[in-house]
């Protein structure tokens, strides 16, 4: 079966119900939705997760939805944010490093920082499109969308059962 979604240079982080980062971030990561599985691999080749998409819940908190450059899924009970806001800058840095070789990596990072600031609107648009594509691939592979009011209701139910 072919890949429905694949993107390098993503950021993975545990998120709270409010949408704030609730732990340490892992980046850059390769995120793939292929066949019936979601696979997350940290650079260079560390498997973070490989889970069936059919069992996943998309539960993006309101803050993440408002920004629009990421999505959150529940993996083994934990809410994990997959964000695409830095993909554009990381891709530019990677391309500059490839063209100039290892000696120019430091200079390339400075150039990318300037370009990213000047081109922030494009980076956000790109991140938002990737987030939409990611969510569409998850839904097509069988994930359920529990965003919005149902996430707030689930948080209330979780707090009452504790």
């Amino acid at each position: 079966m072919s890949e429905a979604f694949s993107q390098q240079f993503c950021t993975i982080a545990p998120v709270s119900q409010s949408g704030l980062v609730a732990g340490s971030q892992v980046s850059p990561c390769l995120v793939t939705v292929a066949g019936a599985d979601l696979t997350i691999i940290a650079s260079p080749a560390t498997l973070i997760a490989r889970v069936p998409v059919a069992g996943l819940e998309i539960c993006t908190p309101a803050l993440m939805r408002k920004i629009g450059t990421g999505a959150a899924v529940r993996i083994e009970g934990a809410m994990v944010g997959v964000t695409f806001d830095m993909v554009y800058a990381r891709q530019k840095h990677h391309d500059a490093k490839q063209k100039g070789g290892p000696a120019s990596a430091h200079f390339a990072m400075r150039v990318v920082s300037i370009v990213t600031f000047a081109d922030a609107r494009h980076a956000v648009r790109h991140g938002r499109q990737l987030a939409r594509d990611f969510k569409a691939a998850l839904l097509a592979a069988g994930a359920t969308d529990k965003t919005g009011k149902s996430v707030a209701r689930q948080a209330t139910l979780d707090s009452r059962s504790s």
Side-chain angles (χ1 to χ4, degrees), residues 66-88:
K66 184 175 183 175
I67 296 167
T69 59
V73 294
R74 256 188 223 291
I75 299 177
E76 298 177 2
M79 196 177 338
V80 178
V82 180
T83 60
F84 304 98
D85 52 349
M86 293 299 296
V87 168
Y88 182 77

Side-chain angles (χ1 to χ4, degrees), residues 16-132:
S16 66
Q17 291 290 341
S18 65
L20 299 174
V21 173
S24 60
Q25 297 181 352
V26 179
S27 61
C29 292
L30 169 65
V31 175
T32 306
V33 178
D37 290 333
L38 167 65
T39 306
I40 303 171
I41 301 172
S43 182
T46 305
L47 181 66
I48 294 177
R50 177 173 286 135
V51 294
V53 175
L56 289 180
E57 291 181 357
I58 302 169
C59 52
T60 310
L63 179 62
M64 284 184 77
R65 285 194 317 273
K66 184 175 183 175
I67 296 167
T69 59
V73 294
R74 256 188 223 291
I75 299 177
E76 298 177 2
M79 196 177 338
V80 178
V82 180
T83 60
F84 304 98
D85 52 349
M86 293 299 296
V87 168
Y88 182 77
R90 289 180 184 136
Q91 183 66 53
K92 281 190 151 296
H93 176 255
H94 176 75
D95 292 348
K97 203 163 101 174
Q98 292 294 333
K99 288 179 183 175
S104 65
H106 182 70
F107 175 73
M109 190 58 192
R110 286 181 176 213
V111 171
V112 168
S113 297
I114 294 166
V115 171
T116 302
F117 177 76
D119 209 8
R121 290 174 62 177
H122 180 72
V124 169
R125 282 188 200 129
H126 185 63
R128 287 178 176 161
Q129 183 61 51
L130 290 171
R132 286 189 296 269

